[in-house]
């Protein structure tokens, strides 16, 4: 079976958009440390792609112990960066109960998982996390400026203004598309059903798409403005 994920999609974008990368990294760091108030401990990254963000976290003293990545191409890049990588779907990976301090999804990994399976995955994470452990979901909200532009681009062909602006803040037009777009409220409901009851949210990339790469942004609380949002649940 052909692997539709090409690491160049992500490597090229991150190299050409360093301030977007910095903004998203700052959001990730804020989410998993609860804005600098906790150590991340034993940490698992799901759908890490090339491991670029995990490598950047490592440079800042935040070590990711395990990566779960279903794409062979992307998993190979994460391994090349020195990470312990399991090439598998997260629902097929077993962890002992209360063995993990932090689980994070930095991107759309959960956007490829149907609701029935995702409910099971969230219940598993709740069991796998230690008391006070953290699960962080980072993604593009469907109603955000970036989310709407990405979805609109699916119906457009040829050169047009939407895709031209989108190219300044998003990956290549042929980057594989996630199947499911869900709101923060929908994810929170699924997490509550899994047993979580303590939540926080941070956001970044709050400018118009054309200006996302002008300068790095610090994460701010909330989820109703940013084109990239972190929803954090604590056990």
């Amino acid at each position: 079976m052909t692997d539709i994920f090409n690491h160049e999609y992500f490597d090229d974008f991150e190299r050409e958009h360093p301030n977007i990368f910095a903004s998203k990294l700052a959001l990730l760091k804020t989410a998993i440390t609860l804005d600098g108030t906790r150590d991340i401990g034993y940490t698992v990254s799901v759908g890490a792609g090339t491991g670029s963000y995990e490598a950047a976290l490592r440079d800042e003293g935040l070590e990711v112990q395990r990566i779960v990545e279903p794409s062979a191409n992307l998993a190979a890049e994460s391994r090349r960066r020195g990470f312990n990588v399991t090439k598998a779907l997260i629902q097929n990976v077993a962890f002992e109960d209360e063995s993990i301090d932090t689980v994070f999804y930095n991107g759309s990994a959960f956007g490829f998982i149907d609701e029935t399976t995702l409910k099971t995955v969230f219940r598993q994470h709740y069991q796998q996390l230690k008391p006070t452990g953290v699960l962080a979901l980072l993604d593009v909200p469907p109603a955000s400026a970036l989310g709407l532009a990405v979805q609109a681009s699916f119906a457009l062909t040829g050169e047009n203004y939407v895709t031209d602006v989108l190219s300044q803040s998003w990956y290549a037009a042929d980057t594989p598309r996630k199947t499911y777009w869900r709101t923060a409220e929908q994810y929170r409901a699924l997490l509550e059903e899994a047993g979580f009851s303590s939540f926080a949210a941070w956001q970044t990339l709050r400018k118009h798409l054309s200006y996302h790469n002008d300068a790095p942004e610090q994460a701010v609380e909330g989820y109703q403005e940013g084109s990239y949002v972190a929803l954090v649940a604590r056990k």
Side-chain angles (χ1 to χ4, degrees):
M1 184 176 179
T2 302
D3 190 340
I4 61 175
F5 288 91
N6 188 326
H7 71 83
E8 283 84 5
Y9 290 140
F10 309 100
D11 294 340
D12 291 349
F13 181 85
E14 290 164 7
R15 182 177 58 253
E16 295 166 5
H17 300 78
N19 289 328
I20 291 177
F21 181 86
S23 297
K24 293 170 70 174
L25 176 63
L27 179 67
L28 173 59
K29 184 177 179 181
T30 298
I32 62 177
T33 66
L34 296 182
D35 202 15
T37 63
R38 69 183 291 266
D39 295 325
I40 65 172
Y42 188 90
T43 299
V44 176
S45 173
V46 182
T50 66
S52 57
Y53 286 90
E54 290 72 14
L57 287 174
R58 182 172 58 197
D59 290 342
E60 297 191 21
L62 299 172
E63 192 72 35
V64 174
Q65 281 75 30
R66 181 93 169 267
I67 283 175
V68 179
E69 170 55 57
S71 162
N73 291 338
L74 302 185
E77 283 298 299
S78 289
R79 287 197 188 96
R80 187 182 64 79
R81 285 187 159 106
F83 291 103
N84 175 14
V85 182
T86 300
K87 193 196 83 63
L89 298 169
I90 186 59
Q91 56 265 37
N92 298 329
V93 181
F95 292 94
E96 292 184 5
D97 289 353
E98 298 191 355
S99 64
I100 302 171
D101 294 285
T102 306
V103 179
F104 69 83
Y105 292 67
N106 183 31
S108 300
F110 44 91
F112 291 90
I113 304 176
D114 67 85
E115 186 164 315
T116 299
T117 304
L118 193 58
K119 287 180 179 180
T120 299
V121 169
F122 285 167
R123 284 196 296 269
Q124 291 172 340
H125 286 329
Y126 187 83
Q127 294 171 337
Q128 295 158 356
L129 285 168
K130 298 176 184 178
T132 73
V134 161
L135 170 60
L137 309 177
L138 288 80
D139 201 11
V140 177
S144 67
L146 182 55
L148 289 172
V150 171
Q151 294 171 87
S153 72
F154 298 164
L156 299 173
T157 58
E159 295 184 7
N160 58 78
Y161 183 71
V162 171
T163 55
D164 181 55
V165 171
L166 186 59
S167 68
Q168 300 174 58
S169 191
W170 192 243
Y171 302 102
D174 52 353
T175 302
R177 307 168 182 174
K178 67 179 182 181
T179 307
Y180 305 99
W181 291 78
R182 304 182 181 99
T183 66
E185 290 87 355
Q186 288 172 319
Y187 281 118
R188 176 167 175 157
L190 292 172
L191 291 165
E192 287 177 336
E193 187 174 336
F196 293 95
S197 58
S198 177
F199 299 93
W202 287 272
Q203 58 194 330
T204 192
L205 301 180
R206 295 182 295 147
K207 300 176 182 178
H208 293 174
L209 305 190
S210 298
Y211 309 118
H212 278 181
N213 196 48
D214 283 0
E217 292 184 35
Q218 293 301 309
V220 299
E221 290 186 14
Y223 62 88
Q224 296 175 324
E225 298 175 336
S227 279
Y228 206 62
V229 165
L231 177 63
V232 181
R234 192 167 193 179
K235 184 173 179 180

